[in-house]
Amino acid sequence: MSELTRKQREIQQRDELILNVSRSLFIEHGYHNVTMDLIAKQVEYSKGTVYQHYASKEAIISALCMRFGTHVLSWFEQAVADNSVPCYVKMLMIMESEIVIHEYASADHDLITLFKSQAFSSKVDDTILQKMNGNIEQIIRLVHEVVGEAEASGELVIQSPATIDSITMGCWAMIEGTYEIADKHTYEKGNFTAKQIKQVMRANCLMFLKGCGWQSIPLQSDGQVSLDPDYRQKIQDFKQYCCTQIDQMYQPAH
């Protein structure tokens, strides 16, 4: 691959600056209160220069969602490709990456939720929608692949009426559903803490997988997973990798 020219590097750096500054503005002020004028003011470029990169604030949010979705997909790919661990450890790695997303990149997750809404998606080019949907489909396909691999290896003996498809979608629904419920009801007295949410989500997913026939998961009577120290370190290293990726994603452009 040929090196970028000085001009190309400048354009790339300006693009990253626009994305990162816009992300901060959307987080601080909300989608409806951010304008292209405000973005241009904050990046200290003319509005015309910003428009050379993005035609609208919806296009900027779309680019942010695509960038983040691509990173998440790469994390899942890394977990699935690790053949040094059994399939249930791969599932745990995927689960922990979702926890990392909700803890350290909740704003990005919120932008993706906004992107998926009908009111927003109607303003987005169909090509962008197809790319985003393609990322989501690939993520689901990777989880499906792990479940299928577990069945083929004998780790998972699927109990009827469960299927590979229902297990894949069930895990996704449990993770997303747990956080969605928590987000919507944080105002209520006695709401869960972040630690409790993680504990509930992990416990429910593990019970679900065991109930579907994933008996190879070393689940203790207290609901904790008895992991080999090497596997535990693998998961910890993977979580740290995801956190580092999130940090690096929003470093100032140079």
Side-chain angles (χ1 to χ4, degrees):
M1 183 182 295
S2 60
E3 291 187 10
L4 297 177
T5 65
R6 178 181 174 182
K7 183 65 174 178
Q8 287 171 326
R9 289 196 303 272
E10 289 175 353
I11 292 172
Q12 186 179 70
Q13 289 166 3
R14 189 165 63 225
D15 189 80
E16 286 296 309
L17 178 63
I18 292 169
L19 288 178
N20 292 346
V21 169
S22 297
R23 175 181 178 270
S24 297
L25 290 172
F26 288 128
I27 292 170
E28 182 178 355
H29 301 291
Y31 161 64
H32 294 290
N33 298 316
V34 175
T35 64
M36 294 294 276
D37 289 288
L38 179 59
I39 292 169
K41 179 180 178 181
Q42 292 299 312
V43 297
E44 299 182 335
Y45 283 105
S46 69
K47 191 163 70 170
T49 298
V50 175
Y51 273 115
Q52 288 176 10
H53 288 259
Y54 298 101
S56 64
K57 66 180 183 180
E58 287 80 18
I60 294 176
I61 289 179
S62 298
L64 285 167
C65 291
M66 278 298 301
R67 182 173 71 173
F68 187 70
T70 299
H71 276 276
V72 173
L73 176 59
S74 72
W75 302 344
F76 277 50
E77 287 174 338
Q78 181 170 321
V80 172
D82 190 347
N83 293 322
S84 67
V85 298
C87 292
Y88 74 83
V89 174
K90 296 182 183 182
M91 290 293 284
L92 294 177
M93 291 167 74
I94 289 171
M95 187 192 310
E96 292 302 322
S97 70
E98 287 281 358
I99 290 175
V100 167
I101 290 168
H102 285 276
E103 284 196 334
Y104 301 104
S106 59
D108 301 274
H109 186 270
D110 290 345
L111 285 177
I112 289 177
T113 300
L114 169 65
F115 180 92
K116 292 177 183 176
S117 68
Q118 180 62 39
F120 184 91
S121 61
S122 62
K123 302 177 183 178
V124 178
D125 185 89
D126 285 344
T127 303
I128 299 296
L129 286 173
Q130 290 171 6
K131 287 181 179 178
M132 275 297 294
N133 288 334
N135 266 356
I136 294 170
E137 288 171 3
Q138 287 184 67
I139 288 172
I140 295 173
R141 193 177 303 119
L142 286 169
V143 179
H144 192 279
E145 180 182 322
V146 176
V147 178
E149 182 184 339
E151 184 189 34
S153 68
E155 268 193 60
L156 167 63
V157 181
I158 296 179
Q159 303 298 306
S160 180
T163 64
I164 293 176
D165 288 339
S166 70
I167 294 172
T168 300
M169 297 305 294
C171 285
W172 188 16
M174 281 197 170
I175 293 170
E176 291 298 318
T178 298
Y179 279 103
E180 184 175 348
I181 290 170
D183 289 343
K184 286 183 177 179
H185 298 282
T186 52
Y187 61 88
E188 292 183 355
K189 186 176 180 180
N191 61 300
F192 286 144
T193 64
K195 182 177 179 180
Q196 289 172 322
I197 292 169
K198 287 190 291 187
Q199 290 172 337
V200 167
M201 192 272 286
R202 287 178 178 133
N204 286 345
C205 283
L206 288 169
M207 287 188 293
F208 171 71
L209 292 174
K210 288 286 281 189
C212 289
W214 211 316
Q215 298 304 315
S216 65
I217 300 175
L219 196 60
Q220 301 174 152
S221 58
D222 60 358
Q224 299 297 312
V225 181
S226 179
L227 285 173
D228 178 286
D230 289 341
Y231 294 162
R232 190 176 299 278
Q233 189 60 50
K234 277 269 189 182
I235 294 172
Q236 187 58 41
D237 290 345
F238 182 69
K239 286 174 62 178
Q240 185 56 53
Y241 166 77
C242 294
C243 289
T244 301
Q245 288 288 302
I246 290 172
D247 287 340
Q248 291 179 348
M249 203 184 310
Y250 302 110
Q251 291 298 314
H254 299 292

